[in-house]
Amino acid sequence: MSFSYSGDPADSSLDTVRFLVGDTADSGHRFEDAEVDWALTQRPNPYRAGGLLLRRAAAAAGATGGGAGGVIEKRVGQLWLRYDTSTYAQALAGQAAELERLADLGV
C-alpha cells in the first residue's frame, strides 16, 4: 500500500483530491494512492476540469463516509477509549454533498 502527497495541490490531481478531502498526512491516511487514482476515473463532469476534480473528491469523501460508521475501541494502559464514528461518517457525507454542490455551480 502506498501514500503520497507533495504538499502542493496544484502539483497533481491526486494531491488535489487529497487536499479537498483532508487526507494529506501519511499517519492515519484514509486512502491509498490506488484508491485515489480509482476515484479520479469516476464521475465525469460536462462543465469544466475544476468541477471534475471536485466531483472526484466528492466520490472519495462519499466512499469514506459510507464505511465510517461504527465504534472504535482502544485500550491505553488502564484506560479504555471508545469512539463512535457515525458523526465522522455524517461529516464526510456532508463534505461529499458540498463538493458536489460546488461542482454543479462550476466552481
Side-chain angles (χ1 to χ4, degrees):
M1 301 289 184
S2 66
F3 172 90
S4 61
Y5 180 70
S6 72
D8 180 4
D11 187 51
S12 70
S13 294
L14 183 139
D15 283 358
T16 301
V17 169
R18 285 202 184 281
F19 176 77
L20 289 170
V21 300
D23 189 29
T24 58
D26 190 9
S27 175
H29 64 271
R30 292 187 268 176
F31 300 107
E32 301 298 329
D33 286 349
E35 294 169 318
V36 176
D37 289 340
W38 174 83
L40 287 167
T41 68
Q42 304 304 303
R43 303 214 183 161
N45 182 348
Y47 303 112
R48 56 185 274 206
L52 179 59
L53 285 173
L54 288 170
R55 289 194 193 283
R56 290 171 175 174
T64 303
V71 175
I72 297 172
E73 293 183 342
K74 183 171 182 162
R75 182 178 180 155
V76 179
Q78 297 295 319
L79 178 66
W80 276 97
L81 302 173
R82 181 180 169 100
Y83 180 70
D84 182 354
T85 61
S86 61
T87 302
Y88 176 65
Q90 290 172 350
L92 288 172
Q95 181 183 34
E98 177 63 9
L99 290 167
E100 285 283 357
R101 186 186 72 78
L102 291 172
D104 288 343
L105 292 173
V107 173

